[in-house]
Amino acid sequence: MPIFHKLEDPTLERHFKGHKDVVSCADFSPNNKQLATGSCDKNLMIWNLTPKARAFRFVGHTDIITGVHFSPSGSLVASSSRDQTVRLWTPSIKGESTVFKAHTASVRSVQFSSDGQRLVTASDDKSVKVWGVERKKFLYSLSRHTNWVRCARFSPDGRLVASCGDDRTVRLWDTSSRQCINIFTDYGGSATFVDFNSSGTCIASSGADNTLKIWDIRTNKLIQHYRVHSAGVNCFSFHPSGNYLISGSSDSTMKILDLLEGRLIYTLHGHKGPVLAVAFSRDGGLFASGGADSQVLMWKTNFDSLNYRDLLSRHSRRVTPDPLPHLMDIYPRSPHRHNAQNGTVEINPIVADTQSGDPQVVEVGRVLFSTAMSYVFRATGSCSQLSAASSTGSDERKRWGALIVCFMGLTYRYAALKSLWPFHMVTLLRDSSSLISSPLCLLINASFLQRHREHESIHALFIWRHMLY
């Protein structure tokens, strides 16, 4: 006789504030210790999930961030943007990033392959592109879509890519032959998101026509069709077990579907406006959501705590060589639509009461002029020390001036400016009295100022430096 477990309702655990505009994407790190989110404020945020830990704001993109994904090792984060680039970030205080550019229009999504060796991106230039991570270069393009491509995802084994777009199609690609091997249609509007289930036997896709569809790629048949939202579905995420799926919609709600039973089990509220990002953690114990209200909400799953673990336990006791059972081995008699049911649970938490205080946010990726100046004064002690230095003679003034310039070179992040400082430092070590009198130094300074007239603060720096001499 089957044993039924009572489902426990998901609960809102944390509420993160730090973005200044719409939250467009989210992803958990593989060790579940960090959450990455991207926003229309052009910033990537890395939230540390341990209590009272600092959050990091990564600055570099020049337009809206559209997608974010952690590498399988967790050592890199990829982000895509409307500025036509993809960036690879090191999720640490250093804020280092590598820029990938080959698309000629907005990049809509980015994802690592399961081995971490490749990236796949989708773009408004109607193409899907695959990149090599280690060599940091573009590999090849998949170009059969006839309109903007909204999303592209690798299969778990990396042999296939699924993509969808505004041409109202979902396409399946073979990464070896680089050919489109199947097309799924039947959409009344743009196909907004696509992904594989954990076993790689099925793909789900969402649409602007309020629908969620699940296709079996072994039989090329539509096997589940849900219309549970009252507005377009923007995103979704499979639970790692393959038994559940969460979706986010422009109707301001999230829906959790039980895919084994083929029914809606939860409707979640909390966002004031469209929900644009949802993501389960790698172990399924948490999920995150983001939306037009600039909020990032983190939820505890709860409802899978018994069922999923029991399922894994039963799998571990199997002694037959057959593959593990999964969702799509259980076929419905025919494709059928699942509508919202009155028996679903509505969860509407009070978001403001869940926030225990905003985390401290550290901005990385650039150093502002004011920050650089504080480093100068911290290094030299105080303005009075500068005055004392200027009264002790010309050589001492030169040494103080050179020291200031060197500290500015160590802290300021403009590449053109940085290239100047090694020359100053070498000159200082060799003969501090020749630092200012060097014609080459003056020529470089003049050339730099000519190219960067918009940076008034840098003008002020050079004027102040020359006054010290």
Side-chain angles (χ1 to χ4, degrees):
M1 185 172 179
I3 298 174
F4 296 98
H5 299 290
K6 182 182 183 299
L7 295 179
E8 294 187 46
D9 299 340
T11 54
L12 183 58
E13 287 287 290
R14 294 186 66 180
H15 171 215
F16 298 105
K17 291 185 68 176
H19 282 299
K20 301 173 184 176
D21 208 334
V22 174
V23 178
S24 54
C25 49
D27 189 46
F28 283 92
S29 64
N31 62 7
N32 296 325
K33 292 183 177 180
Q34 293 179 313
L35 172 66
T37 56
S39 170
C40 293
D41 64 11
K42 309 176 189 177
N43 297 328
L44 170 70
M45 294 289 297
I46 302 288
W47 311 92
N48 289 299
L49 303 187
T50 54
K52 299 183 179 180
R54 294 182 300 176
F56 297 100
R57 179 183 291 117
F58 291 84
V59 181
H61 283 294
T62 59
D63 210 328
I64 293 169
I65 294 179
T66 56
V68 63
H69 196 241
F70 273 95
S71 66
S73 66
S75 60
L76 294 171
V77 178
S79 61
S80 58
S81 172
R82 209 165 67 176
D83 64 11
Q84 305 181 13
T85 69
V86 173
R87 282 180 180 260
L88 276 185
W89 304 85
T90 303
S92 68
I93 189 66
K94 293 181 180 179
E96 298 169 341
S97 67
T98 302
V99 180
F100 290 19
K101 182 167 174 55
H103 285 292
T104 58
S106 300
V107 187
R108 294 275 187 164
S109 75
V110 62
Q111 187 204 28
F112 282 94
S113 59
S114 58
D115 61 5
Q117 297 301 306
R118 291 171 295 164
L119 287 171
V120 63
T121 56
S123 171
D124 286 358
D125 63 12
K126 307 178 187 178
S127 74
V128 174
K129 294 190 187 296
V130 177
W131 313 73
V133 174
E134 187 175 357
R135 295 189 176 183
K136 299 179 175 60
K137 70 174 186 176
F138 164 69
L139 298 179
Y140 57 87
S141 187
L142 306 171
S143 304
R144 290 285 295 278
H145 280 282
T146 58
N147 208 329
W148 294 353
V149 188
R150 297 267 186 160
C151 182
R153 291 289 186 266
F154 280 113
S155 62
D157 61 10
R159 293 187 296 177
L160 300 173
V161 167
S163 61
C164 67
D166 285 7
D167 59 4
R168 304 185 180 187
T169 68
V170 175
R171 291 177 181 267
L172 202 60
W173 309 82
D174 186 320
T175 57
S176 298
S177 65
R178 305 179 186 178
Q179 297 297 314
C180 179
I181 58 176
N182 211 340
I183 304 175
F184 302 98
T185 55
D186 192 29
Y187 279 93
S190 299
T192 56
F193 200 88
V194 67
D195 203 1
F196 288 85
N197 68 341
S198 56
S199 65
T201 58
C202 297
I203 57 172
S205 57
S206 60
D209 59 357
N210 311 356
T211 63
L212 273 162
K213 298 178 181 180
I214 299 178
W215 312 79
D216 190 310
I217 61 175
R218 299 166 297 183
T219 61
N220 298 326
K221 290 183 179 179
L222 174 66
I223 57 175
Q224 290 190 1
H225 181 189
Y226 297 90
R227 189 185 291 271
V228 294
H229 286 285
S230 59
V233 183
N234 300 313
C235 53
F236 63 84
S237 178
F238 275 107
H239 188 274
S241 68
N243 295 343
Y244 305 100
L245 181 146
I246 183 171
S247 57
S249 168
S250 294
D251 64 9
S252 304
T253 68
M254 292 162 281
K255 306 279 186 177
I256 296 177
L257 306 172
D258 185 326
L259 300 178
L260 288 177
E261 296 187 14
R263 69 185 183 97
L264 172 66
I265 55 175
Y266 292 109
T267 297
L268 305 178
H269 303 267
H271 288 284
K272 299 176 178 66
V275 181
L276 301 175
V278 291
F280 274 110
S281 62
R282 299 295 201 272
D283 66 357
L286 299 168
F287 62 92
S289 60
D293 55 5
S294 308
Q295 295 185 114
V296 178
L297 306 182
M298 188 177 76
W299 308 73
K300 191 172 182 181
T301 303
N302 292 333
F303 57 80
D304 77 315
S305 58
L306 293 175
N307 297 7
Y308 184 33
R309 289 168 187 165
D310 286 354
L311 178 67
L312 291 179
S313 177
R314 289 198 299 272
H315 285 178
S316 66
R317 291 196 298 266
R318 287 168 61 91
V319 294
T320 64
D322 299 332
L324 303 180
H326 53 77
L327 160 69
M328 296 312 170
D329 284 336
I330 306 171
Y331 292 94
R333 291 186 178 87
S334 61
H336 54 287
R337 180 177 299 172
H338 303 269
N339 295 305
Q341 301 172 10
N342 293 329
T344 62
V345 178
E346 297 266 342
I347 298 177
N348 192 0
I350 301 174
V351 173
D353 289 347
T354 67
Q355 189 177 348
S356 57
D358 296 335
Q360 178 188 358
V361 176
V362 179
E363 186 166 301
V364 296
R366 69 179 179 189
V367 177
L368 300 178
F369 179 77
S370 59
T371 306
M373 292 296 291
S374 70
Y375 282 138
V376 170
F377 285 114
R378 198 178 306 160
T380 56
S382 65
C383 291
S384 60
Q385 283 182 291
L386 285 175
S387 301
S390 48
S391 64
T392 58
S394 60
D395 289 343
E396 189 65 16
R397 288 199 299 272
K398 289 174 184 178
R399 290 189 181 91
W400 276 109
L403 181 61
I404 291 169
V405 173
C406 292
F407 270 97
M408 291 302 295
L410 293 173
T411 57
Y412 215 89
R413 292 296 182 93
Y414 286 97
L417 189 57
K418 280 201 298 185
S419 64
L420 195 58
W421 305 129
F423 169 78
H424 284 306
M425 296 180 74
V426 170
T427 308
L428 173 64
L429 293 174
R430 187 183 72 244
D431 182 5
S432 59
S433 65
S434 66
L435 178 61
I436 269 303
S437 60
S438 167
L440 177 59
C441 176
L442 292 174
L443 179 62
I444 294 174
N445 285 353
S447 174
F448 176 80
L449 290 175
Q450 183 66 29
R451 293 197 307 271
H452 296 273
R453 289 188 181 278
E454 68 273 20
H455 299 298
E456 297 299 333
S457 59
I458 299 177
H459 278 268
L461 168 66
F462 279 98
I463 292 170
W464 177 42
R465 196 193 72 183
H466 284 287
M467 285 175 63
L468 289 175
Y469 296 113

